[in-house]
């Protein structure tokens, strides 16, 4: 027998359907025996059919309501959609670029190693995410208006179990033991567990000695001149675990950074680790530096020098993480002079001249306090030839700083302007910031020329 459809999933409805069928069969059977339908039988059939009619109407109304709900959700306001998922945002957060995204999707974007805003392509000065309370409240009100349930964005986050704690304690015992193979296996397991979910990251946040015990096997190798293969693997797993722990939240960033052993070990990893270890060490510095209080603590440790050395090497696997780490550290004013002293300007200029990661590296240069700086010619070349407005803007910002701090560079800029009209064109066609800086340079050029004619 064919199924009724509406009654398939509800046990109560199924029983009611069977009862109505039996009742109608009985009534029709009685009608055949009576050789016709009595008034009473007709009334009873009408009642049974009426019950079916009501059930059918309820089915249609339920379907109609679901369809209306779906259509409403599909046509939600564009400002409530995440630019990455194109879905209604559950936990809207603001990126450093000022754009709003759903937290889950933007975290995936950043965790994949991206350091730009997906919508504007702007290089991010940091990856801190700020809850967009206004949009969240607007979405909540809209959902209530249309009858949608708003889910808790942290519903899927797993709670720490007793079993998790037992595994965590066991692995910490092994990683802090004196047996190298135990240290390696435990470090590798902790790396995987802190990557997969939040439970073990939060356990490190709760355990005051957790970070110390994690890094303890590396302390014994710190004074050795070189590392063997097993020690390299151990270093990579410990450094990557530190990176995973730091991603969790600001309290973990603070806990990791303030441990007296961590920054020296990251410096050591940047200097003599494998390429993967050095890249992850740079990523850890970048992540830790997202917290303002950590920027100064990390900057004064001397870590900028090994970061700049790694940038100079130019390994494609590490360069993006290194550039992001240097940029984020240099947001703190005090670290800018340290970066210049450690040779950042020379290295950045060389990489930009070679056409490598121009946008990211110009963004760093644009931030630095530049007193003595060569390379005006390549900055002018970028201003003249680059097709990217952001690159032109960063280049003219640096030129503006140079021009107002070193008068010996005016001749080169005057020659560029006479031959190509580069600054004038940028003052007319550049971004608003680029136009301001270009006009500032042109005003200074005109004043210098007037003084020359007067003299």
């Amino acid at each position: 027998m064919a199924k009724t459809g509406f009654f398939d999933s509800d046990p109560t409805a199924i029983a009611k359907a069977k009862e109505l069928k039996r009742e109608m069969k009985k009534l029709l059977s009685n009608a055949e025996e009576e050789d016709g339908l009595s008034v009473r039988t007709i009334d009873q059939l009408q009642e049974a059919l009426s019950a079916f009619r009501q059930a059918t109407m309820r089915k249609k109304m339920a379907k109609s309501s679901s369809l209306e709900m779906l259509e409403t959700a599909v046509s939600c306001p564009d400002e409530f959609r995440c630019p990455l998922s194109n879905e209604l945002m559950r936990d809207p957060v603001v990126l450093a670029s000022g754009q709003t995204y759903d937290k889950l999707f933007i975290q995936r974007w950043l965790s994949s190693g991206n350091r730009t805003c997906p919508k504007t392509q702007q290089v991010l000065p940091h990856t801190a995410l700020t809850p967009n309370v206004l949009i969240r409240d607007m979405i909540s009100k809209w959902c209530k208006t249309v009858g949608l349930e708003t889910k808790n964005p942290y519903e899927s986050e797993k709670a720490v179990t007793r079993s998790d704690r037992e595994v965590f304690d066991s692995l910490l015992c092994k990683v802090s033991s004196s047996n190298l193979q135990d240290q390696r296996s435990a470090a590798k397991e902790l790396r995987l567990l802190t990557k997969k979910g939040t439970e073990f990251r939060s356990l490190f946040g709760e355990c005051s000695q957790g970070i110390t015990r994690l890094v303890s096997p590396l302390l014994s190798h710190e004074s050795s001149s070189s590392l063997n293969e097993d020690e390299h693997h151990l270093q990579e797993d410990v450094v990557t675990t530190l990176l995973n722990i730091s991603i969790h939240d600001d309290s973990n960033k603070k806990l990791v950074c303030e441990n007296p052993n961590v920054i020296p070990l990251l410096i050591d990893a940047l200097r003599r680790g494998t390429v993967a270890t050095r890249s992850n060490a740079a990523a850890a510095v970048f992540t830790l530096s997202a917290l303002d209080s950590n920027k100064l603590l990390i900057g004064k440790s001397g870590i900028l020098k090994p970061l700049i050395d790694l940038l100079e090497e130019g390994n494609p696997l590490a360069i993006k993480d290194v550039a992001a780490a240097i940029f984020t550290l240099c947001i703190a004013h005090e670290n800018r002079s340290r970066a210049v002293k450690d040779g950042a300007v020379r290295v950045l200029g060389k990489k930009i001249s070679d056409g490598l990661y121009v946008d990211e590296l110009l963004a760093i240069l644009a931030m630095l306090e530049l007193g003595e700086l060569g390379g005006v010619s390549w900055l002018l070349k970028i201003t003249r030839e680059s097709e990217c407005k952001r690159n032109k803007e960063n280049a003219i910002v640096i030129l503006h700083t140079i021009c107002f701090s070193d008068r010996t560079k005016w001749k080169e800029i005057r020659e560029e302007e006479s031959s190509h009209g580069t600054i004038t064109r940028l003052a007319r066609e550049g971004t608003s910031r680029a136009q301001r800086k270009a006009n500032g340079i042109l005003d200074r050029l005109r004043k210098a020329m007037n003084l020359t004619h007067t003299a």
Side-chain angles (χ1 to χ4, degrees):
M1 183 182 290
K3 294 184 178 181
T4 60
F6 172 67
F7 301 103
D8 290 345
S9 58
D10 189 342
T12 305
I14 291 170
K16 182 66 175 174
K18 288 180 178 178
E19 183 184 338
L20 287 168
K21 287 178 181 178
R22 283 196 299 270
E23 187 175 345
M24 284 192 290
K25 282 182 179 179
K26 183 179 178 182
L27 289 169
L28 290 169
S29 177
N30 290 341
E32 287 177 4
E33 290 174 4
E34 295 172 3
D35 195 23
L37 295 173
S38 66
V39 174
R40 184 171 176 273
T41 302
I42 290 171
D43 288 342
Q44 288 173 333
L45 276 169
Q46 283 179 337
E47 288 176 8
L49 288 167
S50 177
F52 260 111
R53 182 176 180 277
Q54 289 177 10
T56 304
M57 289 297 293
R58 283 197 297 271
K59 172 186 175 182
K60 287 183 177 179
M61 287 174 66
K63 278 189 174 180
S64 174
S65 177
S66 297
L67 287 171
E68 286 174 7
M69 192 76 74
L70 181 61
E71 288 169 3
T72 305
V74 170
S75 61
C76 74
D78 287 341
E79 61 268 28
F80 296 165
R81 293 178 186 274
C82 173
L84 285 171
S85 67
N86 201 33
E87 296 174 0
L88 180 68
M89 290 186 284
R90 298 295 181 184
D91 189 14
V93 292
V94 181
L95 200 57
S97 61
Q99 300 295 320
T100 297
Y101 297 90
D102 205 346
K103 187 175 183 180
L104 174 66
F105 293 96
I106 193 60
Q107 281 183 329
R108 285 178 184 172
W109 169 269
L110 296 171
S111 298
S112 298
N114 296 298
R115 296 294 179 262
T116 56
C117 172
K119 194 170 182 179
T120 66
Q121 296 304 307
Q122 176 185 341
V123 178
L124 299 171
H126 60 81
T127 56
L129 301 174
T130 307
N132 193 328
V133 180
L134 178 61
I135 290 292
R136 187 176 61 197
D137 289 346
M138 290 170 67
I139 290 174
S140 180
K141 289 176 183 176
W142 178 81
C143 286
K144 287 177 182 177
T145 302
V146 300
L148 278 176
E149 289 186 14
T150 52
K151 295 180 181 177
N152 181 348
Y154 303 106
E155 246 176 8
S156 60
E157 190 168 304
K158 294 180 180 177
V160 176
T161 64
R162 180 181 293 182
S163 174
D164 290 334
R165 293 184 188 278
E166 290 172 356
V167 170
F168 179 69
D169 291 338
S170 172
L171 290 172
L172 282 184
C173 287
K174 286 178 69 178
V175 81
S176 56
S177 70
S178 57
N179 185 288
L180 180 58
Q181 294 308 313
D182 282 349
Q183 291 173 350
R184 273 202 60 190
S185 63
K188 185 175 182 179
E189 185 67 16
L190 284 167
R191 173 182 178 173
L192 294 172
L193 289 170
T194 52
K195 179 184 178 181
K196 285 198 304 185
T198 60
E199 310 94 87
F200 284 83
R201 296 178 208 163
S202 62
L203 280 169
F204 271 104
E206 295 172 12
C207 179
S208 58
Q209 291 300 308
I211 302 298
T212 300
R213 295 174 73 183
L214 171 67
V215 301
S216 61
L218 297 186
L219 298 176
S220 59
H221 308 305
E222 203 173 7
S223 57
S224 60
S225 57
S226 61
L227 302 178
N228 62 37
E229 186 178 350
D230 283 339
E231 290 166 346
H232 270 303
H233 284 303
L234 176 62
Q235 184 187 50
E236 181 181 335
D237 288 333
V238 170
V239 166
T240 309
T241 303
L242 287 171
L243 168 61
N244 294 340
I245 296 166
S246 304
I247 290 169
H248 187 62
D249 58 20
D250 285 354
S251 61
N252 270 24
K253 288 179 177 63
K254 185 176 175 64
L255 181 71
V256 171
C257 194
E258 291 182 355
N259 186 295
N261 298 313
V262 168
I263 301 304
L265 289 176
L266 288 177
I267 292 174
D268 184 58
L270 287 167
R271 284 177 172 153
R272 59 177 185 158
T274 63
V275 172
T277 302
R278 298 169 87 188
S279 178
N280 287 343
V285 173
F286 165 68
T287 304
L288 292 169
S289 301
L291 198 63
D292 286 342
S293 59
N294 286 350
K295 288 182 177 68
L296 294 178
L297 188 62
I298 296 171
K300 67 182 181 182
S301 69
I303 206 167
L304 277 161
K305 177 60 176 163
L307 283 170
I308 293 165
D309 290 343
L310 186 52
L311 180 66
E312 186 170 21
E313 287 180 26
N315 191 295
L317 293 176
I319 197 165
K320 277 197 171 183
D321 288 317
V322 174
I326 295 172
F327 184 97
T328 310
L329 284 171
C330 287
I331 291 172
H333 229 42
E334 295 86 340
N335 289 334
R336 297 176 188 179
S337 57
R338 293 182 179 123
V340 172
K341 183 180 178 182
D342 288 335
V345 172
R346 177 186 60 80
V347 174
L348 290 166
K350 177 67 170 60
K351 294 299 174 189
I352 292 168
S353 296
D354 294 340
L356 298 173
Y357 300 95
V358 174
D359 197 18
E360 291 91 339
L361 302 185
L362 273 174
I364 300 172
L365 270 178
M367 240 186 348
L368 297 178
E369 296 291 337
L370 303 171
E372 293 294 324
L373 176 65
V376 169
S377 58
W378 53 259
L379 284 170
L380 288 169
K381 183 179 179 182
I382 290 168
T383 307
R384 181 173 68 249
E385 298 179 0
S386 176
E387 295 180 1
C388 175
K389 285 192 173 184
R390 185 68 63 185
N391 287 353
K392 289 176 179 284
E393 178 187 308
N394 285 328
I396 200 69
V397 167
I398 300 166
L399 283 168
H400 186 274
T401 303
I402 295 169
C403 291
F404 281 80
S405 61
D406 186 354
R407 295 183 62 184
T408 64
K409 307 302 178 186
W410 284 104
K411 181 182 177 183
E412 193 171 352
I413 293 172
R414 275 199 304 270
E415 290 173 353
E416 172 73 23
E417 184 60 21
S418 298
S419 301
H420 303 285
T422 303
I423 311 298
T424 299
R425 186 164 56 254
L426 194 59
R428 190 172 59 246
E429 300 172 358
T431 64
S432 57
R433 186 182 184 210
Q435 288 178 10
R436 287 197 306 274
K437 297 298 182 180
N439 280 316
I441 293 174
L442 291 172
D443 287 344
R444 193 63 177 260
L445 279 173
R446 283 190 286 268
K447 288 177 182 176
M449 291 178 68
N450 289 335
L451 286 172
T452 303
H453 291 319
T454 303

